[in-house]
């Protein structure tokens, strides 16, 4: 396609991580114009756009309390509504849900029915809406099956504070939580995190350091209880991380990576449930049950790596991952997905399907991306992972 236009609405930090300049050169060679969108100017004067790729997380979060951000979102929504043929990556309502861990964890729980044939689960969790006494919280934990040790995470899954977490070992540590937040049972997983980056109908899986194993159950009832550990998840899980929190105390047998078929099934179901083309999933494998465990879902992952281990700051990896992002965006997105615009306009339109497919040809299939799904037999006599109490609230 000649004369196509792709609009990007990203922060400076995100543009640098994506190496947007290299991507723009790649697009130029395919007759596609890459435009940086300025939200402070009318979009109608910056368009038309065949595709808009955005990460308006900052604006969405700030709009909760800031009238200027509210107006910027309203203007963006208005443009999208008036141009239903423009493909939008990704839906604002879907992105808003993933910025709220209360909402995203409910999505994880609701996957239990569709993934019941797979050894996939999510740890029990509890929503803490407001400050409460530790005994009341512990009672709610028992009701929801949440056990010590546990991870405390902020409700808002965006910004530097969202990476500030705590590992709580006993009831005394509940004094350290700051609502609104989520309490999630900690699962021993051999200090290995598997990050899955979804780009259209392809996904890439990389291994990262993670928290080491800790004894299960509350650590005693005396004044010598183990103190809460505060940590930054981003720092702990960096590829080059050398934290004491990731160093296993003893020898642990190496484990195989997650089943590519199981990951493909999970990704496929999440694409349907989220109605999104760009997101990430954090997975661990329990050392006790060997189940694939979903611990978080993230919007628009920033530093992914393909099969060769390159990041999106690498022009080769950038083009390899960005090609399917645009060319496959409208190829076969599930018809059951929710609308992607800020209102009710469908973004995966048939009218522009062929044109957007021609924007960029898909990169060659990466050996790290899974295609298809072969079901494994159900996990017999395993703990209930996707339990029936999917909405875990504590008011």
């Amino acid at each position: 396609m000649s004369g196509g236009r792709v609009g990007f609405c990203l922060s400076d930090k995100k543009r640098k991580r994506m190496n947007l300049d290299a991507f723009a050169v790649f697009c130029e060679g395919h007759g596609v114009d890459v435009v940086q969108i300025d939200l402070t100017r009318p979009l109608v004067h910056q368009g038309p756009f065949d595709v808009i790729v955005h990460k308006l997380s900052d604006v969405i979060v700030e709009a909760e309390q800031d009238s200027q951000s509210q107006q910027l979102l309203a203007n963006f929504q208005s443009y999208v509504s008036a141009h239903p043929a423009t493909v939008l990556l990704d839906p604002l309502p879907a992105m808003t849900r993933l910025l709220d861990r209360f909402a995203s964890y409910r999505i994880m729980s609701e996957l239990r029915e569709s993934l019941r044939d797979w050894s996939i689960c999510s740890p029990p969790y509890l929503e803490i809406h407001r400050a409460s006494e530790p005994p009341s919280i512990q009672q709610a934990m028992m009701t929801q099956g949440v056990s010590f040790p546990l991870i405390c995470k902020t409700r808002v899954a965006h910004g530097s504070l969202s990476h500030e977490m705590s590992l709580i070992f006993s009831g005394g540590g509940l004094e350290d939580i700051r609502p609104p937040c989520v309490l999630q049972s900690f699962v021993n997983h051999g200090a290995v995190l598997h990050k899955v980056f979804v780009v259209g109908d392809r996904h890439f899986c990389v291994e990262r350091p993670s928290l080491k194993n800790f004894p299960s159950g509350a650590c005693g009832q005396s004044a010598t209880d183990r103190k809460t550990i505060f940590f930054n998840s981003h720092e702990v899980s960096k590829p080059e991380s050398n934290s004491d929190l990731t160093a296993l105390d003893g020898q642990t047998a190496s484990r195989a990576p997650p089943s590519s078929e199981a990951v493909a099934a999970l990704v496929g179901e999440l694409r349907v449930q989220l109605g999104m083309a760009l997101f990430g999933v954090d997975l661990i494998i329990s050392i006790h049950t060997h189940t694939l465990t979903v611990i978080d879902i993230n919007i628009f992952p920033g530093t992914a790596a393909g099969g060769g281990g390159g990041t999106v700051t690498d022009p080769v990896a950038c083009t390899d991952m960005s090609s399917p992002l645009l060319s496959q965006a409208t190829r076969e997105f599930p018809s059951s997905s929710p609308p992607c615009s800020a209102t009710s306009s469908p973004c995966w339109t048939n009218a522009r399907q062929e044109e957007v497919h021609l924007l960029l040809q898909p990169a060659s299939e990466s050996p790290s991306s899974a295609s298809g799904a072969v079901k494994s037999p159900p996990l017999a006599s395993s703990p209930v992972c996707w339990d029936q109490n999917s909405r875990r609230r504590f008011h």
Side-chain angles (χ1 to χ4, degrees):
M1 174 182 174
S2 178
R5 301 185 86 240
V6 180
F8 277 82
C9 193
L10 307 169
S11 66
D12 291 339
K13 182 178 180 180
K14 194 72 175 181
R15 291 201 303 271
K16 291 178 180 179
R17 283 184 174 180
M18 286 189 65
N19 198 355
L20 197 57
D21 290 341
F23 181 63
V25 171
F26 174 79
C27 288
E28 183 179 355
H30 290 71
V32 177
D33 187 19
V34 173
V35 179
Q36 175 60 32
I37 294 176
D38 183 354
L39 283 182
T40 64
R41 296 174 47 221
L43 268 70
V44 68
H45 298 321
Q46 303 177 61
F49 301 105
D50 296 281
V51 181
I52 293 179
V53 181
H54 73 94
K55 187 174 184 181
L56 297 180
S57 309
D58 291 331
V59 183
I60 292 173
V61 173
E62 291 168 359
E64 292 290 329
Q65 299 178 330
D66 180 63
S67 59
Q68 182 177 0
S69 296
Q70 292 172 8
Q71 188 59 53
L72 291 177
L73 272 186
N75 295 341
F76 187 85
Q77 293 172 347
S78 178
Y79 179 86
V80 170
S81 300
H83 299 80
T86 298
V87 174
L88 181 63
L89 303 177
D90 260 322
L92 288 182
M95 294 185 73
T96 301
R97 281 195 298 168
L98 287 194
L99 290 174
D100 180 358
R101 283 196 172 105
F102 288 179
S104 65
Y105 281 29
R106 293 170 200 164
I107 292 171
M108 286 156 49
S109 291
E110 290 165 359
L111 293 171
R112 67 187 184 279
E113 290 299 325
S114 55
L115 295 174
R116 61 170 52 186
D117 291 342
W118 298 90
S119 298
I120 298 177
C121 72
S122 182
Y125 75 96
L126 179 68
E127 299 174 6
I128 305 294
H129 291 250
R130 59 180 61 87
S132 299
E133 293 298 319
S136 298
I137 297 176
Q138 283 188 270
Q139 184 60 47
M141 286 172 53
M142 291 177 61
T143 301
Q144 300 298 342
V146 179
S147 59
F148 293 108
L150 57 83
I151 300 287
C152 179
K153 307 178 185 181
T154 60
R155 176 176 183 173
V156 177
H158 174 70
S160 58
L161 289 179
S162 69
H163 297 290
E164 299 298 331
M165 302 181 184
S166 56
L167 184 61
I168 299 174
F169 296 92
S170 63
L174 295 175
E175 297 280 2
D176 297 319
I177 69 173
R178 297 292 179 266
C181 59
V182 171
L183 304 182
Q184 183 184 64
S185 292
F186 178 76
V187 176
N188 283 322
H189 52 282
V192 177
L193 173 69
H194 303 277
K195 297 189 75 69
V196 180
F197 301 89
V198 180
V199 185
D201 58 7
R202 296 174 62 193
H203 62 271
F204 306 80
C205 188
V206 297
E207 189 176 293
R208 293 286 184 262
S210 186
L211 294 178
K212 63 184 179 182
N213 303 327
F214 291 93
S216 300
C219 296
Q221 302 298 325
S222 66
T224 59
D225 285 353
R226 187 164 192 168
K227 294 185 179 299
T228 297
I229 296 176
F230 298 92
F231 65 97
N232 182 292
S233 62
H234 180 70
E235 294 297 324
V236 166
S237 295
K238 281 184 175 180
E240 67 279 9
S241 175
N242 192 26
S243 169
D244 290 339
L245 292 176
T246 65
L248 292 173
D249 296 330
Q251 291 294 326
T252 299
S254 59
R255 297 193 175 276
S259 158
S260 59
E261 291 85 0
V263 173
L266 172 64
V267 167
E269 185 62 27
L270 282 174
R271 289 186 66 216
V272 173
Q273 295 296 328
L274 300 177
M276 297 176 67
L278 297 169
F279 61 92
V281 188
D282 289 345
L283 304 174
I284 58 176
I285 300 176
S286 168
I287 63 170
H288 301 299
T289 64
H290 312 299
T291 53
L292 190 61
T293 305
V294 184
I295 59 173
D296 249 321
I297 311 173
N298 314 295
I299 62 172
F300 205 151
T303 52
T311 68
V312 291
T313 55
D314 177 352
V316 175
C318 174
T319 55
D320 180 63
M321 295 186 66
S322 299
S323 294
L325 183 161
L326 296 176
S327 66
Q328 299 181 18
T330 59
R331 180 187 302 173
E332 54 179 356
F333 208 84
S335 60
S336 59
S337 301
C340 118
S341 72
T343 59
S344 59
S345 319
C347 80
W348 311 105
T349 57
N350 293 329
R352 301 303 296 277
Q353 179 173 350
E354 183 176 356
E355 290 188 44
V356 177
H357 171 69
L358 292 174
L359 281 175
L360 293 174
Q361 295 299 319
S364 57
E365 191 66 26
S366 167
S368 63
S369 64
S371 59
V374 180
K375 290 191 176 182
S376 64
L379 183 67
S381 65
S382 64
V384 177
C385 295
W386 307 108
D387 63 42
Q388 296 181 359
N389 299 317
S390 60
R391 298 187 180 276
R392 307 169 182 271
R393 304 185 187 184
F394 182 64
H395 297 277

